Amino acid sequence: AGPKGPAGTQTPGSTGGGSQLASAQIQPVIARYTPSVNRSCWQPAIDTRDKDAPASARVQVSITISGSGSVQNVTTSGDPRGYRGLANCIAGRVRGWQFPPSSGTSNVNVPFVFVAQ
């Protein structure tokens, strides 16, 4: 039962003055941290999911990245049906991510899509 995800596109957006991070700077960070999200969040969610839970789950994560590259804020779309605690777990992991510094605040939307194998 191997997880997949995140899949989709990242949409950087600036909320202040200065230069925001480019997708080319964001994507490698997401790729580096995704395996730990799979191990720490998706695998336990699969093991404890409700009997009637669907085979796939999607959590939309919005990340605010400060100019220093640290994560300022994380919000999620909430737990998918049958996967209690998945969204909070992902948010907790993402809070520790470190992005490259920039001269402005960046907002990124990352869709995590998981499929039970």
Side-chain angles (χ1 to χ4, degrees), residues 25-92:
Q25 295 170 290
I26 294 167
Q27 190 61 42
V29 174
I30 293 168
R32 181 176 55 222
Y33 289 114
T34 295
S36 77
V37 171
N38 290 341
R39 278 190 312 275
S40 301
C41 299
W42 177 240
Q43 198 55 55
I46 282 286
D47 295 342
T48 60
R49 68 182 169 171
D50 294 347
K51 289 187 188 98
D52 63 345
S56 65
R58 178 185 174 97
V59 177
Q60 183 72 29
V61 179
S62 297
I63 309 167
T64 303
I65 305 162
S66 71
S68 69
S70 63
V71 174
Q72 266 184 332
N73 190 41
V74 178
T75 59
T76 70
S77 58
D79 286 329
R81 183 175 63 81
Y83 293 95
R84 286 182 305 277
L86 179 59
N88 280 340
C89 181
I90 294 169

Side-chain angles (χ1 to χ4, degrees), residues 96-115:
W97 291 7
Q98 185 66 41
F99 291 85
S102 67
S103 60
T105 301
S106 301
N107 288 319
V108 184
N109 295 311
V110 183
F112 282 85
V113 180
F114 302 98
V115 179

Side-chain angles (χ1 to χ4, degrees), residues 4-23:
K4 290 171 55 175
T9 59
Q10 290 68 46
T11 51
S14 180
T15 60
S19 175
Q20 68 192 25
L21 289 171
S23 186

